[in-house]
Amino acid sequence: MADTAPLDERSDRDLLAQHCAGDPDAFGELFRRHKDRMWAVALRTCRDPELAADAVQDGFISAFRRADSFRGDSQVTTWLHRIVVNACLDRIRRIKPTSELPEYDLADRHDHHGSVDVRLDVQEALARIPEGQRMALTLVDMHGMSVAEAAEVLDVAEGTIKSRCARGRSALAELLRDKHGEGYPLPG
């Protein structure tokens, strides 16, 4: 028997199951619910809006086609994170790696609070650390995922996430200290 509750009241798991059973609207509701969060993940992962948009599209198409591969041993959002992060990594590997940041109008930068400079410095430093550390830090520190969730998304052990985060934070601190000295305000 089909669920008669409105789409926006159904759980993610129910929507995914209903999509697999042929409901033409169920996956659209999942997309509506999670597209912004997946966009944020992709943008922080790729650091390029165009690349991130392509990766989100790739990720949701993959999730749509492979919905029956969801085993139910995690949250649907964790499953979607993994698919989108993998789509990002696939896109990044296809292009020449770069650590350049987009151009910013310096006059405009000075009109903003100092946190803009801190954020730009952190983005620049993130671009210089190894991909595994960057991905772990992005998921745990920027997206607030638990170590267990990040481990599942990246398909590594929890200890690996802890280690990558610790090494990544240390590397970031060193890069920022090298640039600005000991008193540099690290975001927290």
Side-chain angles (χ1 to χ4, degrees):
M1 179 200 268
D3 190 339
T4 58
L7 285 174
D8 61 353
E9 293 178 10
R10 298 180 197 173
S11 74
D12 289 348
R13 286 178 187 268
D14 288 344
L15 287 169
L16 198 57
Q18 290 162 2
H19 164 68
C20 290
D23 184 326
D25 301 316
F27 196 85
E29 176 61 18
L30 280 173
F31 175 77
R32 185 194 65 73
R33 283 182 192 178
H34 303 296
K35 65 181 165 63
D36 292 340
R37 187 172 182 191
M38 295 306 126
W39 163 252
V41 168
L43 189 57
R44 285 201 170 130
T45 303
C46 297
R47 297 178 318 276
D48 176 288
E50 217 171 288
L51 199 60
D54 290 342
V56 169
Q57 181 177 330
D58 292 349
F60 272 105
I61 288 170
S62 180
F64 181 89
R65 291 178 177 159
R66 298 184 345 192
D68 59 346
S69 73
F70 178 70
R71 295 186 309 262
D73 52 359
S74 66
Q75 297 294 321
V76 172
T77 53
T78 302
W79 177 74
L80 286 171
H81 265 98
R82 175 183 280 172
I83 292 171
V84 170
V85 166
N86 285 338
C88 290
L89 296 176
D90 288 346
R91 288 270 174 182
I92 289 168
R93 287 179 187 119
R94 286 187 215 150
I95 61 171
K96 180 182 173 193
T98 180
S99 61
E100 292 179 27
L101 291 172
E103 292 296 320
Y104 290 95
D105 179 20
L106 290 177
D108 187 44
R109 273 182 66 193
H110 293 296
D111 290 340
H112 287 88
H113 187 271
S115 66
V116 172
D117 289 331
V118 171
R119 191 170 63 243
L120 292 173
D121 290 341
V122 170
Q123 285 178 348
E124 183 178 311
L126 271 172
R128 295 178 61 195
I129 65 174
E131 181 180 283
Q133 293 173 13
R134 181 174 58 249
M135 295 303 303
L137 287 174
T138 297
L139 295 176
V140 173
D141 290 350
M142 296 180 180
H143 290 289
M145 280 189 170
S146 70
V147 169
E149 288 174 317
E152 187 168 340
V153 166
L154 297 176
D155 199 24
V156 297
E158 289 182 30
T160 301
I161 294 296
K162 290 177 185 176
S163 173
R164 287 178 181 177
C165 284
R167 287 193 318 264
R169 288 180 193 117
S170 177
L172 282 179
E174 185 176 325
L175 288 167
L176 294 172
R177 270 194 304 274
D178 287 350
K179 184 172 182 175
H180 297 283
E182 290 296 323
Y184 192 74
L186 292 175

